[in-house]
């Protein structure tokens, strides 16, 4: 496993989500109300679109492209009878840093 720094613990709070970058990979952090912080691949498992247009009610993440909803705790789709799930990444907190293991990470492209 190779954990990569993603953000600081102060960048997200319980009951909220945030989309962050680990190199070229986007990571959706989700902190369910009354639950533990989770990290998922930042792309929707329905049509592989970026999860940058979502809502979160504290329990369910909804991708607003086609309104599929996913359980924040386990990533399972809860609005359609499909097996599509958000792809989880291992997550750990070191000091005030949130780290994830997204597999091999390429550096982000620098602006031209
Ligand atoms: S791409 Fe997210 S619901 Fe279709």
């Amino acid at each position: 496993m190779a954990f990569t720094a993603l953000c600081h613990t102060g960048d997200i709070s319980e009951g909220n989500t945030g989309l962050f970058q680990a190199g070229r990979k986007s990571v959706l952090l989700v902190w369910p109300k009354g639950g533990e912080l989770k990290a998922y691949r930042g792309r929707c498992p329905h049509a592989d679109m970026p999860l940058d247009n979502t809502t979160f009610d504290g329990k369910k993440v909804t991708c607003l492209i086609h309104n599929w909803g996913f359980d924040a705790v386990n990533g399972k789709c809860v609005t359609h009878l499909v097996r599509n799930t958000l792809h989880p990444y291992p997550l750990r907190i070191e000091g005030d840093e949130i780290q994830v293991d997204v597999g091999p990470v390429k550096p982000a492209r620098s602006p031209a």
Side-chain angles (χ1 to χ4, degrees):
M1 288 198 171
F3 282 90
T4 303
L6 188 66
C7 63
H8 293 285
T9 52
D11 293 332
I12 186 160
S13 57
E14 184 175 344
N16 288 298
T17 66
L19 196 62
F20 299 90
Q21 286 293 131
R24 292 184 188 174
K25 296 184 179 180
S26 61
V27 177
L28 182 72
L29 288 183
V30 181
W31 192 344
K33 286 182 183 168
E36 294 181 4
L37 184 62
K38 300 286 183 174
Y40 296 105
R41 181 174 180 255
R43 299 190 71 88
C44 182
H46 171 221
D48 199 34
M49 300 297 285
L51 286 169
D52 56 1
N53 192 10
T54 61
T55 61
F56 184 49
D57 65 3
K59 292 183 177 182
K60 179 181 69 177
V61 176
T62 300
C63 173
L64 296 179
I65 296 176
H66 305 104
N67 291 315
W68 283 31
F70 302 92
D71 186 307
V73 173
N74 57 30
K76 292 181 180 176
C77 183
V78 293
T79 54
H80 295 72
L81 295 175
V82 295
R83 290 184 165 182
N84 302 45
T85 63
L86 296 173
H87 179 83
Y89 288 137
L91 174 153
R92 72 181 183 191
I93 296 174
E94 291 286 324
D96 69 344
E97 195 172 78
I98 297 172
Q99 302 175 350
V100 293
D101 181 357
V102 295
V105 175
K106 295 179 183 174
R109 292 186 187 145
S110 57

